[in-house]
Amino acid sequence: MAEGNTGGESLLFLTDEQLRKGIEAMFFAYRGFTDDPDRILEGMDYGRAHHRAIHFIHRSPGTTVSNLLTILGVTKQSLNRVLRTLIEDGLVEARVGKADKRERNLHLTAKGQDLERQLSDAQRARMRAAYRAAGPAAVQGFRTVLEAMMDPEMRRQYQSLREGEK
Amino acid sequence: MAEGNTGGESLLFLTDEQLRKGIEAMFFAYRGFTDDPDRILEGMDYGRAHHRAIHFIHRSPGTTVSNLLTILGVTKQSLNRVLRTLIEDGLVEARVGKADKRERNLHLTAKGQDLERQLSDAQRARMRAAYRAAGPAAVQGFRTVLEAMMDPEMRRQYQSLREGEK
DNA sequence: GAATTTACGTCAGCCTTGTTGACTTTCCAA
DNA sequence: TTGGAAAGTCAACAAGGCTGACGTAAATTC
């Protein structure tokens, strides 16, 4: 199904025009995707970077700083600035590693869980509405294309996160 | 596969776990989506903001500054900073409006077209690879979900852009 | 014809979030 | 014991958002 590139109409979805529409769809949809959490965060001292950190700490409790660096793809200085404020404000706890004491195992506090819940509720609500409107078959295609669009390294991260959770 | 679901079918794609996967897919895919143009731009004096301006001027030649403001969703000061450098460098031309002389009609110069081509070639190449790998049905679903994810206002913009082109 | 509104440009200043580079501390492992 | 990895810190800087204030020309309204 995927590679059947014989003649006629099978390749119509690969025209430059179709691709351009896909590109603009990504652009506009990503705005919607980030909008709700951004709105919640504004007014607090936090931004999108804090949201990302909170999301992935929630997702993989006990993860280390360097794990987070790999997933987020930023420098440790950038991440550290964000992490520091979250720790100072009591949303994140950094526990010295048990096996390797150089590592810090990151966890959300109750307060951190609260904010995470607020943010992900908003983001999931939009996602749910979109999924519901589009239907299960479209959702399947959505995920397939997005996965194919990732860099191989990001795809590995994405998939290992998936299998990491039960 | 991930969640221990029985074969209920109909609403399984709306579980929080499924939604979370979609959220992370958006995050990782958007990185891939912006990566290639970003790499081309770095080293030049331009960034993602310039790319966006160039894209939409190419897309709607003769568009006005305020049109662009609406589409991009930034302040005029932000856009102006970007536009000014593009005009100074001879990538964009701002012609005084014919009917309304307060307006500036924006066009890419030959030089601007060159960069646009470079950027969109890179972005389309990744998009094409993803589309090809996923197949036409998945692409259809991809676009449907993204469209449903947009804010109504953005969706209008997106659709009016679509109909603008033949 | 005067007043107001619109479209655009610009100056100044601030914030978030990214970057490099240099340096320290801790501590595991060879 | 020593090299290097993990983590943190300080400093400086850039891109690209933002607000507020102001200016000007053109169009519109009264």
Side-chain angles (χ1 to χ4, degrees):
Chain A
M1 181 180 197
E3 277 288 74
N5 40 9
T6 57
E9 66 152 7
S10 56
L11 290 180
L12 283 183
F13 72 112
L14 292 174
T15 62
D16 281 1
E17 179 59 15
Q18 290 294 313
L19 295 167
R20 213 213 62 241
K21 284 179 190 168
I23 286 168
E24 289 180 5
M26 277 296 282
F27 173 72
F28 288 114
Y30 197 76
R31 283 250 293 276
F33 172 71
T34 54
D35 236 39
D36 302 323
D38 281 358
R39 233 187 324 268
I40 292 173
L41 262 340
E42 98 182 359
M44 305 191 196
D45 294 345
Y46 305 132
R48 206 177 286 184
H50 300 83
H51 180 197
R52 288 198 281 258
I54 287 172
H55 174 96
F56 285 107
I57 293 171
H58 170 77
R59 179 67 189 73
S60 307
T63 190
T64 63
V65 171
S66 38
N67 275 339
L68 219 46
L69 286 179
T70 306
I71 288 172
L72 297 175
V74 297
T75 58
K76 65 177 176 175
Q77 292 91 332
S78 244
L79 176 57
N80 193 253
R81 179 171 36 201
V82 163
L83 232 33
R84 198 188 326 156
T85 68
L86 291 174
I87 291 169
E88 278 169 6
D89 296 350
L91 299 178
V92 168
E93 192 190 351
R95 301 180 194 153
V96 171
K98 247 192 145 164
D100 184 337
K101 292 178 191 163
R102 291 168 305 179
E103 296 182 343
R104 300 289 180 273
N105 298 116
L106 302 170
H107 299 265
L108 294 183
T109 63
K111 198 172 161 194
Q113 301 273 2
D114 281 354
L115 180 54
E116 193 284 330
R117 179 64 55 99
Q118 236 191 105
L119 295 170
S120 68
D121 277 356
Q123 202 159 37
R124 271 200 307 268
R126 182 182 293 252
M127 208 74 176
R128 188 179 296 111
Y131 272 21
R132 196 188 301 275
V139 167
Q140 176 61 42
F142 164 75
R143 288 262 298 276
T144 302
V145 173
L146 287 188
E147 198 162 335
M149 209 180 302
M150 298 174 195
D151 268 348
E153 219 184 306
M154 298 183 199
R155 183 155 48 243
R156 270 188 25 248
Q157 292 295 330
Y158 170 70
Q159 287 166 341
S160 76
L161 285 172
R162 287 177 58 188
E163 74 183 63
E165 183 88 359
K166 69 152 64 162
Chain B
M1 24 172 87
E3 266 302 74
N5 306 340
T6 56
E9 234 71 297
S10 53
L11 291 180
L12 285 184
F13 72 113
L14 291 174
T15 61
D16 281 0
E17 179 61 13
Q18 291 293 315
L19 296 168
R20 214 213 59 241
K21 284 178 187 168
I23 286 168
E24 290 180 2
M26 277 296 281
F27 172 72
F28 287 114
Y30 198 77
R31 283 250 292 277
F33 172 72
T34 54
D35 235 40
D36 302 323
D38 282 358
R39 234 186 323 268
I40 292 173
L41 263 339
E42 98 181 359
M44 306 189 193
D45 293 347
Y46 305 133
R48 208 177 284 182
H50 300 84
H51 180 196
R52 289 197 280 258
I54 288 173
H55 174 95
F56 284 107
I57 293 171
H58 170 77
R59 179 66 190 74
S60 308
T63 191
T64 63
V65 173
S66 37
N67 274 340
L68 218 45
L69 286 178
T70 307
I71 288 172
L72 296 176
V74 297
T75 60
K76 65 175 176 176
Q77 293 92 330
S78 249
L79 176 57
N80 192 254
R81 179 171 37 199
V82 161
L83 231 35
R84 198 189 323 161
T85 69
L86 291 175
I87 291 169
E88 279 170 5
D89 296 350
L91 299 178
V92 167
E93 193 190 351
R95 302 179 195 152
V96 171
K98 254 202 138 153
D100 187 334
K101 293 182 191 161
R102 291 170 307 178
E103 297 183 342
R104 300 287 179 274
N105 296 116
L106 303 171
H107 298 266
L108 294 184
T109 64
K111 197 171 160 196
Q113 301 274 2
D114 281 355
L115 180 54
E116 193 283 331
R117 179 65 54 100
Q118 236 191 102
L119 295 170
S120 68
D121 276 357
Q123 203 159 38
R124 273 201 305 269
R126 181 184 294 253
M127 209 71 177
R128 189 179 296 111
Y131 272 21
R132 197 190 299 277
V139 168
Q140 176 61 42
F142 164 75
R143 288 260 299 276
T144 302
V145 173
L146 287 188
E147 199 162 333
M149 210 180 302
M150 299 174 194
D151 268 348
E153 220 184 305
M154 299 183 200
R155 181 156 50 243
R156 271 188 25 249
Q157 292 295 331
Y158 170 72
Q159 286 165 342
S160 75
L161 285 171
R162 285 178 59 189
E163 74 183 64
E165 183 87 0
K166 78 161 203 136

